[in-house]
Amino acid sequence: MPKLIKNGQLVDDDARILVLDETQAPEELTLAAGPVFVPFAVWQAHKGQLSGRAGLGVWLDSHEDVAELVPDLDSISAVALNFPKFTDGRAYSSAALLRTRYGFTGEIRAIGDVMRDQFFFMQRCGFDTLQPKAGKYSDAQLEEALASLKDFSTPYQAAVDQPEPLFRRAARAA
Amino acid sequence: MYRYDTYDQKIVDERVAQFREQTRRYLAGELTDDEFRPLRLQNGLYIQRHAPMLRVAVPYGLLASRQVRQLAHIARTYDKGYAHITTRQNVQFNWPALEAVPEILAGLASVEMHAIQTSGACIRNITSDPFAGVAGDEHIDPRPWCEVLRQWSTFHPEFAFLPRKFKIAVNGAAEDRAVIQCHDIGLELKRDAAGEIGFRVLVGGGMGRTPIIGEEISDFVPWQHIITYCEAILRVYNRYGRRDNLYKARIKILVKSLGIAEFKRQVEEEWVFGKNGPNTLTEAEVARVAGHFTTPAYASLPADDAGYVSQRAANPAFAAWTRRNVLAHKVPGYAVVVLSLKNPARAPGDVTAEQLDLVADWADAHSFGEVRATHEQNLVLADVRQSELFAVWEKARAAGLATPTFGLLTDLICCPGGDFCALANAKSIPIANAIQARFDDLDYLYDIGDIELNISGCMNSCGHHHVGHIGILGVDKNGEEWYQVSLGGSQGNHTSIGKVIGRSFAAAEMPGVIAKIIDVYLAQRQAGERFIETVRRTGLEPFKLGVYGDAAVKERKQNA
């Protein structure tokens, strides 16, 4: 089973990330059983049936506004935020908003172009689950990549993982 | 100046370890070129025409003598014996081997330096007034605020992959010496009616392909809220700045497309959530940081040192240098010295390892151990006793650092251009040196007076050509290097963007073109009028006529 990082540990995960191709209308979709992340458009089209389904998550692309998901957050256990390219940093703001402004306590998963070099930033912004693309890292490499979560031991700023900035957390010598 | 505590040091040390590992993975083929590029850029490492280029951060332009010695060591050990001062007060090395960069970074970390966020689509090195703390027209010292913002922006997790680079400048004096109107965020320190410190905030300024002067988004943000206010701006930009087109990705394009009123509305709507939150600055933190920027132990001296007065009277060359390169200091008996890096024999802004070592020695002997780098690509000793100026001048002259042309035509700003930079359309250093060679008569330069000539080798505008009184831009026409000339640009309180005067020129024509522009100025100027004032009064027509001739101007009008 493929592995990903959840709360700083390697875990098995076989959730599918459902991607619509251009010809597919979200309304026409039938979902096979099993854990799956559906695109935001599919969620909107099938909210009624999908609500409360076990193992269901919704994924948003980087241009999609997390605010639109807010009325539904109580019925979703996991949100995945896509990085179409790892240099597209919008999902950092989306994750931070989900955690701080919208109070989402479920899983926030980073998907798409996810590299170990972003892990530290992702975790700081509220991602608890990090899923590099299939084949990006071997299990051994992913194990090794856990070290990137600890690239910096004491960051300066307040963020989701450390809600206070260093100047409030520590007594710094003048 | 600011000294690292254990937290600051640890962050820099951990960065060295992180980059060492990233470099190892790249060299081992575990990171592709495309993957490594943004990572190395966020550590100031470019791949240039001939070799990698490493840009080292000099936060708000401030250097300690031991840091200058470390830069000399790097230049000697890993480079070809010189370094380059950039227009953002940083230092660049043009020839390090990629494999050596982790070692260079470790050396920098040993003197509390780094290359963090000197490039890449993130918050860049924060720039400021090179005369901070010593200028007579300063209301509020910008350095502690720059340091507070440096720490906040260093590895900010939400803003490491912005649509494009993001530059912040801070000024705290009556005259803007930090080009705040041409930054993504420009901060002007001020006091409100009750005497409380805060910031006038400008947003959306920038040079590049689309030069825009920043607009005021707030006339006063109290100091406690400056971080949360900047975060609100950055979050709106990160979410809604364009990412589909590199040339339209800067915040200035977002501000223009929304309009400043709507942009401000979005920022302030966002700010509601951060304001008064944990990122609100505390008096204790500001006092801690400000405690690093204390007034040096100035001696109590007469306003005019008698020896200095007589040395100036006796030695015309010394007097000429003091008239241009020695500036008033707010403390009686002290002076600010500009060490010119515009020796015509070198590329503008270049400084050798030997010179750096000497500058470090002079800083220790004469200026409380500190040196500053300016965006105009010179070095500054900010706290020299008048009585020691003659000694400093003699040393600087012997080292080739006393070119007495500060603020004159040949004290030009110039990017590295096509000789080094992979982005450039044209070379800029040979143009600069050719102009310096043409205008080598000091009396003539003094007669021309204050003028700013800025040269960029491409539209990215590292050479600030848009705000040069005379701006030169290298352009590519069918694979050939040509140069476009603009007039009327200006930095400072009256920032303006220059206007192109007409068709571009070949490299060989450039000194002659500048000479014609200067001739027009000298013929047109009224008593006491500086070049930029004449251009503003007369407009471009007389200059076009002087450069292109009567017939060419008429023909252009007919065709228009």
Side-chain angles (χ1 to χ4, degrees):
Chain A
M1 198 182 284
K3 290 196 188 305
L4 50 68
I5 294 172
K6 191 171 175 66
N7 296 318
Q9 309 283 331
L10 241 56
V11 297
D12 293 323
D13 183 280
D14 62 351
R16 286 173 301 133
I17 311 289
L18 184 72
V19 181
L20 294 180
D21 72 40
E22 281 164 19
T23 61
Q24 260 174 315
E27 294 78 15
E28 293 162 1
L29 211 80
T30 47
L31 277 184
V36 63
F37 283 85
V38 298
F40 182 54
V42 171
W43 168 256
Q44 280 180 311
H46 298 286
K47 243 182 241 193
Q49 302 111 279
L50 294 173
S51 247
R53 180 185 149 129
L56 184 101
V58 177
W59 73 268
L60 267 60
D61 211 343
S62 61
H63 65 276
E64 291 174 315
D65 189 348
V66 282
E68 293 190 41
L69 206 53
V70 171
D72 306 333
L73 283 177
D74 286 343
S75 28
I76 299 171
S77 60
V79 174
L81 300 172
N82 186 45
F83 288 80
K85 293 184 293 186
F86 80 95
T87 50
D88 181 342
R90 284 176 282 193
Y92 294 103
S93 288
S94 300
L97 284 168
L98 275 175
R99 289 283 187 236
T100 57
R101 189 157 312 161
Y102 307 130
F104 184 65
T105 54
E107 174 184 305
I108 302 182
R109 177 181 297 215
I111 60 169
D113 197 5
V114 173
M115 280 167 47
R116 60 178 287 183
D117 307 278
Q118 299 147 279
F119 286 180
F120 178 76
F121 293 142
M122 287 172 167
Q123 138 192 283
R124 293 220 67 205
C125 289
F127 289 97
D128 58 301
T129 306
L130 311 172
Q131 182 173 13
K133 275 197 181 127
K136 173 79 193 164
Y137 297 118
S138 67
D139 287 357
Q141 282 175 320
L142 201 58
E143 180 87 47
E144 215 176 281
L146 287 174
S148 291
L149 289 166
K150 301 191 172 79
D151 273 349
F152 299 97
S153 47
T154 317
Y156 285 122
Q157 321 75 8
V160 174
D161 66 334
Q162 293 265 25
E164 300 223 303
L166 183 58
F167 65 79
R168 290 181 190 271
R169 272 181 270 136
R172 302 185 67 181
Chain B
M1 66 186 283
Y2 188 76
R3 294 298 309 264
Y4 284 6
D5 67 5
T6 52
Y7 295 104
D8 302 301
Q9 188 64 50
K10 190 154 202 192
I11 285 173
V12 169
D13 290 343
E14 287 172 338
R15 171 55 145 191
V16 175
Q18 182 195 41
F19 194 71
R20 197 184 290 281
E21 176 63 9
Q22 286 170 339
T23 305
R24 184 200 65 71
R25 284 163 57 215
Y26 172 67
L27 293 172
E30 294 170 30
L31 279 171
T32 65
D33 282 338
D34 282 347
E35 290 171 340
F36 188 50
R37 184 182 305 115
L39 303 178
R40 64 173 163 75
L41 286 177
Q42 300 220 346
N43 226 338
L45 186 62
Y46 288 72
I47 304 296
Q48 295 276 47
R49 279 177 197 261
H50 312 291
M53 180 274 278
L54 180 67
R55 183 181 296 149
V56 174
V58 181
Y60 37 96
L62 229 54
L63 288 160
S65 56
R66 72 208 159 88
Q67 296 176 322
V68 175
R69 288 193 185 92
Q70 180 67 26
L71 295 172
H73 167 74
I74 292 167
R76 228 183 328 262
T77 313
Y78 301 101
D79 205 281
K80 295 190 175 178
Y82 66 97
H84 175 76
I85 307 296
T86 79
T87 54
R88 299 203 76 256
Q89 299 179 288
N90 288 324
V91 171
Q92 285 181 188
F93 294 100
N94 282 310
W95 304 96
L98 185 123
E99 296 78 359
V101 171
E103 269 321 293
I104 297 174
L105 295 179
L108 289 169
S110 75
V111 293
E112 303 176 9
M113 291 185 84
H114 58 77
I116 296 164
Q117 289 166 218
T118 54
S119 182
C122 51
I123 303 171
R124 302 286 192 86
N125 181 40
I126 290 158
T127 53
S128 190
D129 179 359
F131 306 131
V134 296
D137 68 339
E138 184 173 282
H139 315 304
I140 300 161
D141 189 343
R143 294 171 299 175
W145 303 100
C146 290
E147 178 59 28
V148 163
L149 290 167
R150 182 192 76 82
Q151 297 192 16
W152 159 73
S153 61
T154 298
F155 300 130
H156 197 298
E158 192 178 331
F159 307 130
F161 295 97
L162 296 168
R164 197 81 169 78
K165 59 187 167 185
F166 201 91
K167 301 175 179 178
I168 302 175
V170 189
N171 198 67
E175 179 64 27
D176 168 25
R177 284 179 289 266
V179 210
I180 60 168
Q181 295 185 50
C182 290
H183 278 76
D184 297 285
I185 291 179
L187 298 176
E188 180 188 337
L189 278 153
K190 60 191 278 196
R191 287 181 194 275
D192 68 5
E196 288 296 317
I197 290 177
F199 298 83
R200 175 175 174 245
V201 181
L202 308 177
V203 70
M207 298 193 215
R209 191 167 295 253
T210 315
I212 293 177
I213 291 173
E215 293 186 83
E216 183 180 288
I217 182 168
S218 174
D219 68 347
F220 193 80
V221 174
W223 62 266
Q224 295 90 335
H225 303 299
I226 193 60
I227 288 180
T228 57
Y229 200 83
C230 287
E231 284 206 322
I233 292 173
L234 263 300
R235 182 173 277 175
V236 170
Y237 171 55
N238 190 42
R239 299 185 74 198
Y240 304 115
R242 285 182 64 172
R243 291 174 185 266
D244 59 327
N245 181 339
L246 196 64
Y247 301 121
K248 297 188 190 301
R250 294 287 289 272
I251 194 173
K252 61 192 172 189
I253 304 295
L254 179 65
V255 173
K256 275 286 170 223
S257 74
L258 291 175
I260 186 67
E262 171 59 16
F263 183 75
K264 179 183 167 88
R265 188 194 67 73
Q266 293 190 16
V267 167
E268 304 216 335
E269 192 177 282
E270 178 63 44
W271 188 35
V272 168
F273 296 96
K275 193 180 180 185
N276 297 316
N279 278 323
T280 306
L281 275 167
T282 60
E283 277 188 32
E285 173 62 0
V286 174
R288 179 187 77 82
V289 175
H292 288 270
F293 300 95
T294 48
T295 307
Y298 292 121
S300 193
L301 301 170
D304 289 300
D305 180 79
Y308 174 50
V309 173
S310 61
Q311 281 154 349
R312 267 188 308 176
N315 189 322
F318 176 60
W321 178 74
T322 63
R323 268 200 299 280
R324 293 309 314 187
N325 294 39
V326 174
L327 310 176
H329 194 291
K330 69 178 182 185
V331 176
Y334 283 84
V336 178
V337 170
V338 177
L339 296 170
S340 172
L341 301 183
K342 306 301 166 57
N343 184 331
R346 296 202 65 84
D350 274 10
V351 57
T352 68
E354 293 69 29
Q355 288 173 330
L356 286 168
D357 275 335
L358 289 168
V359 170
D361 292 345
W362 308 338
D364 284 339
H366 304 288
S367 197
F368 299 105
E370 286 185 20
V371 180
R372 290 131 187 254
T374 79
H375 81 269
E376 288 156 335
Q377 300 174 289
N378 292 306
L379 295 174
V380 167
L381 298 175
D383 294 296
V384 181
R385 288 186 190 206
Q386 287 179 2
S387 58
E388 296 172 12
L389 284 168
F390 192 78
V392 170
W393 173 68
E394 286 195 307
K395 293 174 187 178
R397 199 162 66 139
L401 293 170
T403 310
T405 56
F406 177 65
L408 297 177
L409 182 65
T410 52
D411 180 30
L412 32 73
I413 295 180
C414 177
C415 73
D419 290 295
F420 296 98
C421 180
L423 302 172
N425 287 324
K427 294 188 183 70
S428 44
I429 294 167
I431 303 298
N433 288 151
I435 292 168
Q436 288 170 328
R438 171 82 179 233
F439 294 90
D440 63 347
D441 182 310
L442 279 178
D443 289 333
Y444 188 53
L445 285 173
Y446 293 144
D447 181 32
I448 297 165
D450 291 336
I451 185 169
E452 293 171 9
L453 172 65
N454 297 354
I455 308 175
S456 299
C458 78
M459 260 304 177
N460 289 305
S461 316
C462 295
H464 295 188
H465 67 278
H466 292 300
V467 295
H469 299 167
I470 302 175
I472 299 177
L473 168 67
V475 292
D476 173 276
K477 283 206 298 196
N478 305 319
E480 285 177 26
E481 297 183 356
W482 289 80
Y483 297 89
Q484 203 174 62
V485 175
S486 56
L487 292 178
S490 175
Q491 58 176 342
N493 292 359
H494 304 287
T495 294
S496 54
I497 306 295
K499 292 196 176 69
V500 176
I501 60 167
R503 70 159 181 87
S504 51
F505 304 95
E509 296 178 88
M510 285 310 298
V513 169
I514 302 303
K516 284 178 186 167
I517 290 169
I518 296 301
D519 286 344
V520 173
Y521 161 63
L522 295 176
Q524 294 278 339
R525 78 172 161 192
Q526 297 176 350
E529 204 175 47
R530 297 184 312 141
F531 178 85
I532 184 64
E533 292 156 356
T534 302
V535 174
R536 284 184 185 138
R537 180 176 53 78
T538 67
L540 298 193
E541 276 315 309
F543 292 91
K544 289 180 181 175
L545 202 63
V547 171
Y548 296 106
D550 198 17
V553 171
K554 271 189 196 143
E555 188 190 339
R556 278 159 43 79
K557 279 202 175 137
Q558 277 164 7
N559 293 340

